Amino acid sequence: SQELEQSPQSLIVQEGKNLTINCTSSKTLYGLYWYKQKYGEGLIFLMMLQKGGEEKSHEKITAKLDEKKQQSSLHITASQPSHAGIYLCGADISGSGGGADGLTFGKGTHLIIQP
Amino acid sequence: NAGVMQNPRHLVRRRGQEARLRCSPMKGHSHVYWYRQLPEEGLKFMVYLQKENIIDESGMPKERFSAEFPKEGPSILRIQQVVRGDSAAYFCASSYTGLISPINTGELFFGEGSRLTVL
């Protein structure tokens, strides 16, 4: 089973509308990373959350990590065509001491912005 | 002012051939990560390397796959005797510190990927 579940898998939103993407784990997220990938290209770092209840914003994108550190949401306000792409959440779910020093990623959310 | 550079961007191999993917991290970065992205499986961690050392290869298939990050030159992901199931996009990322470092800024810089097609 997927350790990080992203929802929805795909999303079509009219330009100017708000949207939310969720990332959920059954394990504690010791570090939660949001990336954006344009089709056929590399990943662009958006933001990282580490503390329960933490919230960060960059331009029109806000990400939150819940108090239990098992769910994060990415919210885009007044969406624009430039927001289109694949949004990936990645997390350190290995915990402290040992374990992989790489991130576990969700499958991604495909976001399409309709003019 | 180059970011993470990966080459080749596209590679076509026949079954049984070898594939070599190269990754030059950002200047000053000594931590390199390789990920594989399959169409329906998302991005999967493969291996984490520092200069001349493999730190964690828990995501690497046990056979045919190997990675290195020599003192000089790029990191190389090598796939021997490729099979069709190896077709994927392979991404390299680098960071200044390791992710579990207390001074981790949280940012992995990704390359644009190398897309391997096995015929």
Side-chain angles (χ1 to χ4, degrees):
Chain A
S1 63
Q2 191 75 11
E3 290 179 303
L4 274 183
E5 294 285 344
Q6 277 189 245
S7 62
Q9 288 187 351
S10 61
L11 189 56
I12 301 174
V13 173
Q14 196 169 15
E15 183 177 353
K17 298 294 185 183
N18 303 336
L19 62 105
T20 300
I21 298 168
N22 294 302
C23 178
T24 304
S25 174
S26 57
K27 300 181 180 180
T28 300
L29 305 171
Y30 292 94
L32 191 289
Y33 303 72
W34 283 100
Y35 283 85
K36 179 185 173 185
Q37 183 181 23
K38 286 204 175 283
Y39 297 100
E41 297 182 14
L43 280 72
I44 300 167
F45 173 77
L46 296 176
M47 52 193 97
M48 176 186 78
L49 305 164
Q50 286 187 309
K51 300 175 185 175
E54 187 175 6
E55 179 176 321
K56 287 186 178 178
S57 293
H58 176 67
E59 296 179 346
K60 294 186 178 180
I61 301 176
T62 300
K64 301 178 186 179
L65 181 62
D66 74 340
E67 290 288 345
K68 287 186 178 179
K69 294 172 61 174
Q70 288 186 308
Q71 183 174 5
S72 178
S73 60
L74 185 84
H75 185 76
I76 299 177
T77 305
S79 58
Q80 300 170 348
S82 61
H83 288 129
I86 303 169
Y87 288 80
L88 292 153
C89 67
D92 172 14
I93 59 173
S94 63
S96 60
D101 199 34
L103 299 180
T104 298
F105 281 88
K107 290 187 179 182
T109 295
H110 296 243
L111 174 61
I112 296 171
I113 307 295
Q114 280 186 334
Chain B
N1 182 27
V4 178
M5 303 299 292
Q6 287 189 248
N7 69 83
R9 292 289 308 279
H10 299 274
L11 182 63
V12 179
R13 285 287 180 265
R14 296 190 181 279
R15 281 180 298 171
Q17 291 184 319
E18 179 179 289
R20 282 189 179 227
L21 310 178
R22 295 173 189 79
C23 169
S24 295
M26 281 189 70
K27 189 176 181 180
H29 287 190
S30 59
H31 299 255
V32 166
Y33 307 77
W34 283 94
Y35 287 84
R36 177 164 62 176
Q37 187 175 42
L38 292 165
E40 300 299 324
E41 295 184 18
L43 210 59
K44 299 287 188 185
F45 167 76
M46 297 181 76
V47 62
Y48 163 45
L49 311 104
Q50 291 184 32
K51 284 284 186 182
E52 300 185 276
N53 289 306
I54 295 174
I55 307 302
D56 187 337
E57 54 182 351
S58 58
M60 287 276 273
K62 299 298 181 193
E63 298 177 346
R64 303 188 297 107
F65 284 72
S66 62
E68 63 177 15
F69 189 15
K71 187 176 180 181
E72 301 290 337
S75 174
I76 295 174
L77 180 68
R78 182 182 176 204
I79 310 172
Q80 295 178 289
Q81 299 175 336
V82 296
V83 300
R84 289 215 175 106
D86 297 333
S87 296
Y90 292 83
F91 287 94
C92 167
S94 75
S95 67
Y96 178 68
T97 68
L99 290 178
I100 58 174
S101 164
I103 58 169
N104 172 31
T105 61
E107 189 162 0
L108 282 180
F109 292 83
F110 278 83
E112 293 192 331
S114 291
R115 281 153 181 83
L116 172 66
T117 302
V118 180
L119 301 177

